[in-house]
Amino acid sequence: MVRLDNLSDEDFVNLDLSDEDRASLHQSDEDSKYFFQLCEDEVKGVKLPGHDHPMSFLARAVYCSGCTEINDSGGYHCSDCDMYLHKECAESPSEINHPSHTRHPLTLLTRGAPDDSHINSCRLCGGKFRRLIYHCTECEFTLDPACARNPPPLIVYHPKGHEHLLTLMPRLIFFTCNACGMVGDRSPYVCPQCDFMIHKDCIYLPRVININRHHHRVSRTYFLGLRNWVCGVCRLKIDGKYGAYSCLKCPQYAVHSRCATREDVWDGEELEYEPEEEMEDVEPFKVVGKNLINHFTHEEHNLGFKEGGGGGGEESMRCRACVLPIDLDSFYSCVDCDFILHEVCANLPRKKRHVLHNSPLTLQKNIPHHKLYKGVFRCSACKEFSSGFSYIGSGIQLDVRCGSITEPFVHQGHPHPLFFTLPDPKTCRACGIWQNKIVPALFTFTVCI
Ligand SMILES: [Zn+2]
Ligand SMILES: [Zn+2]
Ligand SMILES: [Zn+2]
Ligand SMILES: [Zn+2]
Ligand SMILES: [Zn+2]
Ligand SMILES: [Zn+2]
Ligand SMILES: [Zn+2]
Ligand SMILES: [Zn+2]
């Protein structure tokens, strides 16, 4: 059913319905003429507020020319203008009173901002305009349909974000956000007594989170403190006068608020009241005697330690974890069978955070059965096949080489320590060498400057 309350009687007469349809509508209920069942894909000739031509209804998702919302509630098409509007946009009232602009009503315009104005984005959210806007000519105050329909609150009380009431200032004004340190150009929320200004979205930044670039939790602060801070994610400078995330255990470590809460960095969980994760089961082995361990991947037997240097005669054997030859490295070998691990590989943590995934990865000995690859898997990062251990998370499986990459990444083929970035730039900022040559394709690293 579609409700078109704002159609006049004349509009209703103009609807392209058969006489039979009309009769049945009247018959069923004289007052329900504004409700009608859409049996066909299209009903032609509906005249909508704010648009000169009759428009036809489409009972499917349309790509709205009016706004940027994604919506599948159906929509209208104007064949004269070849314009699609989603239902809510098409039925927008031609004038509204808006709480952010109480001086004058706002008028619906359907051809974007007037040519003589220099406005191209919403006063409140900064979103770019499409065809539909609400506009006050006298004040050059303009909103996109989303902010017109759902006005942001004039006052916000969110003690986790700020201890006092925050008030929306719907102005074009440059300010530096106290939470993220970025410059905004409009409509901050302000607390005058604290000289505090904040982006709307930054009010709700989480307080304690895990990020995949650091093994401790990081906490939000509104004042980092003056020092030469470098962001642990993007490697750019952080202005200590404003907010950021910092590690309570590592006094040097801080991350921009925007970088810490990026989708590829943060798993979206607020941990303020969550107990710290148990770190115990991260230990990969128990020491059971002098130079004797029991490794979680080989619990049936104990492994004995042998110093590297070639004396062990195990050079031809391959490590079960990384599948590389033991060579001259120190190793642990099983006292009862041929199970063997490099010392380094025996120490791989069972759980770890990784730059390619925003929740922790788990070290696995056994490869989940796959009908195509028996006993081998393909590393999600380097695309090489491996039959060794892997780090697994949802939708990702890394061989131990790629799974062990941490920041800073020191590579023998490159003179500077490398840091992970997404997705660009891929060039070392210190020397300009293109990085794809020296690290697996999915990793892009730049150097710290
Ligand atoms: Zn729309
Ligand atoms: Zn807006
Ligand atoms: Zn006005
Ligand atoms: Zn901000
Ligand atoms: Zn305050
Ligand atoms: Zn950053
Ligand atoms: Zn730390
Ligand atoms: Zn190994």
Side-chain angles (χ1 to χ4, degrees), residues 161-166 178 189-198 222:
H162 187 72
E163 63 202 286
H164 308 123
L165 287 181
L166 295 169
N178 281 88
Y189 279 83
V190 301
C191 174
Q193 63 174 302
C194 299
D195 184 19
F196 184 86
M197 292 179 133
I198 188 168
Y222 282 151

Side-chain angles (χ1 to χ4, degrees), residues 352-355 401-410 418 445:
K352 69 173 310 215
R353 300 198 162 269
H354 195 276
V355 292
R401 180 183 66 124
C402 293
S404 303
I405 288 177
T406 49
E407 291 181 307
F409 178 59
V410 180
L418 298 166
F445 286 87

Side-chain angles (χ1 to χ4, degrees), residues 101-106 135-141:
H101 193 71
T102 47
R103 238 174 296 164
H104 310 111
L106 302 177
H135 183 65
C136 169
T137 318
E138 279 140 287
C139 308
E140 295 222 303
F141 182 97

Side-chain angles (χ1 to χ4, degrees), residues 64-69 85-90 132 145 149:
C64 182
S65 327
C67 74
T68 50
E69 279 174 56
L85 289 177
H86 89 273
K87 187 171 171 298
E88 247 180 318
C89 272
L132 254 54
R149 282 195 280 268

